[in-house]
Amino acid sequence: MRRLSLTFVLSLLCLIVSAQDYLQLVSVVSEGNGKVTFVSTGIADSRKDVQANAEQSVIYTLLFQGVAGVNDGKPLVTNNNPVYTNSFFNSTARYSFYIAGSEEVRRPQRQSGKFRGDYNVTVYTTRLMNDLETNGVREKKMDQSDIDETEGITKPTITVVPFLRDGESY
């Protein structure tokens, strides 16, 4: 039992440490057609992993920190479901479904024992937000058509009439 709990604690610690490997240096470059292009900095032990880290950093920052220019700078996740959100960054690499493409801006250079590079990462933000709403980790926003539909509905009214005994009048 003790060995099992130690394994669980170590696994949890590894998950927390791996979640902190994103620099979260992300900003909007351009947007249009349901896509947004970000410039993101990636960091990794090997040069080939820097691009994937930059892409994951964009998704992680969008979901949990927010980026100015998208969703008023607020995080996209409002009701965190770790089972769902962890699937973006574990071996299933769910984040890659929302990446339209990435392009190297600055070749990865070794700094402090790790490689660091900048990439333009284009994300299908509309697709990502719809999926988050569908899976219940993002609250649906009411648009103008939803508001217009409720305006035509007649509001109920209640009339209170006091009790009168025989022979009494108002």
Side-chain angles (χ1 to χ4, degrees):
M1 181 69 173
R2 186 174 188 185
R3 183 181 230 177
L4 181 64
S5 63
L6 181 62
T7 304
F8 177 73
V9 169
L10 287 176
S11 299
L12 186 61
L13 183 62
C14 289
L15 181 64
I16 291 169
V17 170
S18 68
Q20 297 173 352
D21 285 343
Y22 305 116
L23 290 177
Q24 299 178 33
L25 299 174
V26 178
S27 58
V28 173
V29 175
S30 64
E31 58 184 299
N33 298 331
K35 297 185 275 188
V36 178
T37 301
F38 302 90
V39 65
S40 174
T41 301
I43 189 168
D45 292 327
S46 69
R47 189 173 299 222
K48 66 178 184 167
D49 295 333
V50 174
Q51 181 176 357
N53 184 272
E55 293 171 353
Q56 291 173 355
S57 183
V58 169
I59 299 296
Y60 183 86
T61 306
L62 277 170
L63 294 180
F64 302 110
Q65 303 299 318
V67 177
V70 177
N71 195 38
D72 298 325
K74 297 176 188 162
L76 296 181
V77 172
T78 54
N79 306 318
N80 192 13
N81 176 357
V83 173
Y84 174 76
T85 55
N86 288 345
S87 69
F88 280 87
F89 309 105
N90 62 16
S91 61
T92 59
R94 186 180 177 98
Y95 78 91
S96 61
F97 179 69
Y98 303 101
I99 303 295
S102 58
E103 173 185 314
E104 186 177 272
V105 174
R106 186 174 58 94
R107 183 171 167 80
Q109 304 281 326
R110 183 175 286 279
Q111 293 180 356
S112 303
K114 292 197 177 227
F115 287 93
R116 183 175 172 165
D118 295 332
Y119 291 84
N120 279 341
V121 180
T122 304
V123 177
Y124 294 113
T125 51
T126 304
R127 183 187 297 175
L128 176 61
M129 287 189 252
N130 288 341
D131 188 51
L132 294 173
E133 288 174 2
T134 300
N135 287 288
V137 294
R138 175 178 162 80
E139 293 178 6
K140 292 185 179 184
K141 298 218 178 205
M142 288 185 66
D143 59 2
Q144 190 60 40
S145 63
D146 293 335
I147 295 169
D148 292 343
E149 288 177 12
T150 60
E151 287 180 358
I153 298 173
T154 309
K155 295 175 179 63
T157 58
I158 297 174
T159 304
V160 178
V161 179
F163 176 75
L164 292 177
R165 296 177 196 242
D166 290 335
E168 293 181 350
S169 65
Y170 293 109

